[in-house]
Structures are given as C-alpha cells and as structure tokens.
Amino acid sequence: TLKMIYYVTPTYPRPEQVPELTRLAHTLMHVPRIHWIIADDQPLCSEMVLNILRRTNLPFTHISSPKPFLYKGTNFPRGVSNRRAALAWLQENVSEGILYFGDDDNTVDLELFDEIRNTKKVSMFPVGLIGGYGVSSPVVKNGKVAGFFDSWPGSRTFPVDMAGFAVNIEFLKPSATMPYIAGHEEDKFLVSLDLKMEDIEPLADNCTKILVWHTKTAKYKKPTVKIDLKQFDGQPK
Ligand code: UDP
Ligand code: MN
C-alpha cells in the first residue's frame, strides 16, 4: 500500500485565509493517501477552517497552537509554534509515513506527491518563485546533492525553503525541533534530524523540475468607503 503523506499546513486568520485554504483543499482532494494536518495560529481552532477540512472528506487533524506573545513583532518567525505542535502530534501518534510542510499559500503540482511518497530519509527538490534568484534548489552532481542554489545562503548548512523537502517519519528523532529564528527554521530543523548531505535524496529529475511554487497572494486592502447596506438601494450613484 502507498505510504501516507502527512501534509502540515500552518495557517492564521486574515481575509485571504479561506480562499487560500479552499484552493489548497481542492489540490489535496486529488491526492490518494493524504492526511491533512492544519495547525491554526490562534487560541482556538477556527470553525471556518474546520468546515473547509470537513468538506474535503480527507482524513485530517486540526490543532490550535498560537505563537507565544513574546514572538509577536516585526521580524518574528512565521508559523513556528503551530508547526511544532503538528510535529509533536506526529511524534505521539504516527510511526510511519511522509511529512511535508506545505504552507497555505503555496502552489503544488500533483506530481510532487508521487515524488515525495517514497522518501527514505529526507528528499529535496526545487521551489519556484523564491528570493532574488527566482528558484531555490539543491545542486545535483552524479545523482547526489553537492550544494545549494539559494539567493540567501545565510550561513545555513541546508539553505532550502520549507516547501523544498520531505521527511520519512521514521527518520524523525525525539530531538527534532524547529527554532524561533526567522530564516533558520528549515535549516535548524534539518540539522536537528542529524541529516547528512549524503542522505539527501534529490527528486524531480535530479532537481531540474519545479513542482512547487512559493506563491504569494496580494494583501487585500480594506475598502476606504463605508457602505451602509440599509441605505443601499442597488442604484448606481
Ligand atoms: N503563518 C502563521 N502565522 C503567522 C504568519 C504566517 O501560521 O502569523 C503561516 C502562513 O499561513 C503560512 C506560513 O505560516 O502557511 C508562512 O507564512 P507566509 O506565507 O506569510 O510567509 P512567507 O511565505 O512570506 O515566508
Ligand atoms: Mn507564503
């Protein structure tokens, strides 16, 4: 049987949340053997998010884990507390399968799921629309990962995006964790798994194909005019 893919999505309330999650839901509904973990960045699980989950008919887990007050501010790492909660849930409840961190605003090709499903330890692949180079990707030589192409190396051992790797859950250690350090979440997480360069499995035709994009939705601007619906008679002014 196919290994289960655990798709971990941190999310937070804003006007774009429901449309982002609706679009992602409609992608995941095409994927066999997938379990969607939505980790809500608020004190209680949102009813609107739960409704989206229910309507997918997929197996799912809905957790709430708001960011600690300490980390609110301008350069806080986004989605760490909630990803950590999902990780803890997996460590307590799941002994086999594949972990993938898929943000609520990314765009995923269905082929990605076929690629990551057979991850033995940690697999990696390119992510499109990232940083100044337009793509972040492992560099593959003779079928092995030899380095990384990323516009912000940032003294990281594994300069990759959150969407650029998948992990076999049997390879997760009790010590696996994600730090509250903006820009270092991925690297420090992979380091906490004790990952070695030679263990990395390059996917997507030796990292030559882009199957996931770091898309961003323009922020909705609140209307500047105030409309009183009781006065609105449907006639153009
Ligand atoms: N996120 C979150 N809490 C926040 C901000 C973001 O849980 O306060 C989630 C967000 O929904 C997304 C992920 O963390 O799934 C990455 O956030 P975002 O897409 O805003 O960051 P970027 O892609 O620009 O790095
Ligand atoms: Mn994003």
Side-chain angles (χ1 to χ4, degrees), residues 18-237:
V18 166
E20 303 281 27
L21 288 172
T22 299
R23 185 174 46 204
L24 180 55
H26 294 172
T27 298
L28 300 186
M29 285 164 78
H30 291 282
V31 182
R33 296 277 294 161
I34 189 156
H35 181 125
W36 197 4
I37 303 178
I38 292 198
D40 232 328
D41 188 350
Q42 46 178 339
L44 293 170
C45 285
S46 140
E47 197 71 37
M48 281 192 300
V49 170
L50 181 60
N51 280 335
I52 294 173
L53 275 168
R54 286 211 178 103
R55 288 172 61 208
T56 62
N57 278 320
L58 294 172
F60 68 81
T61 300
H62 190 190
I63 320 176
S64 105
S65 180
K67 71 180 71 62
F69 189 72
L70 174 69
Y71 296 111
K72 291 179 187 173
T74 44
N75 196 29
F76 67 86
R78 306 163 81 73
V80 173
S81 168
N82 35 351
R83 284 197 198 90
R84 279 186 174 197
L87 202 54
W89 185 86
L90 280 170
Q91 285 172 314
E92 274 165 40
N93 297 286
V94 177
S95 55
E96 60 170 63
I98 309 300
L99 158 64
Y100 181 72
F101 290 112
D103 289 354
D104 60 5
D105 55 345
N106 289 346
T107 305
V108 202
D109 188 311
L110 294 176
E111 275 182 30
L112 184 78
F113 300 94
D114 302 331
E115 293 276 333
I116 64 175
R117 203 178 293 274
N118 295 313
T119 300
K120 310 237 166 5
K121 290 179 178 171
V122 173
S123 58
M124 290 191 184
F125 33 87
V127 180
L129 301 178
I130 288 266
Y133 295 169
V135 63
S136 166
S137 176
V139 175
V140 179
K141 287 208 173 109
N142 303 320
K144 295 301 266 177
V145 173
F148 298 91
F149 179 80
D150 189 283
S151 59
W152 185 69
S155 71
R156 295 180 292 170
T157 309
F158 305 106
V160 296
D161 182 68
M162 197 63 78
F165 63 90
V167 180
N168 189 312
I169 287 167
E170 292 167 62
F171 189 68
L172 282 181
K173 300 199 153 40
S175 60
T177 190
M178 192 170 284
Y180 282 101
I181 310 173
H184 293 266
E185 300 92 329
E186 301 88 344
D187 180 46
K188 291 280 189 294
F189 170 70
L190 293 166
V191 167
S192 81
L193 301 183
D194 212 8
L195 177 66
K196 302 280 171 284
M197 278 294 266
E198 55 269 27
D199 289 336
I200 304 170
E201 302 143 57
L203 300 179
D205 279 347
N206 281 326
C207 297
T208 60
K209 279 163 76 182
I210 294 175
L211 298 175
V212 56
W213 293 265
H214 186 254
T215 38
K216 280 176 184 281
T217 299
K219 280 257 170 284
Y220 176 70
K221 287 195 191 65
K222 279 193 189 141
T224 49
V225 287
K226 220 169 174 186
I227 299 162
D228 181 353
L229 286 178
K230 288 198 193 87
Q231 298 297 314
F232 189 70
D233 58 7
Q235 297 306 309
K237 295 254 146 55

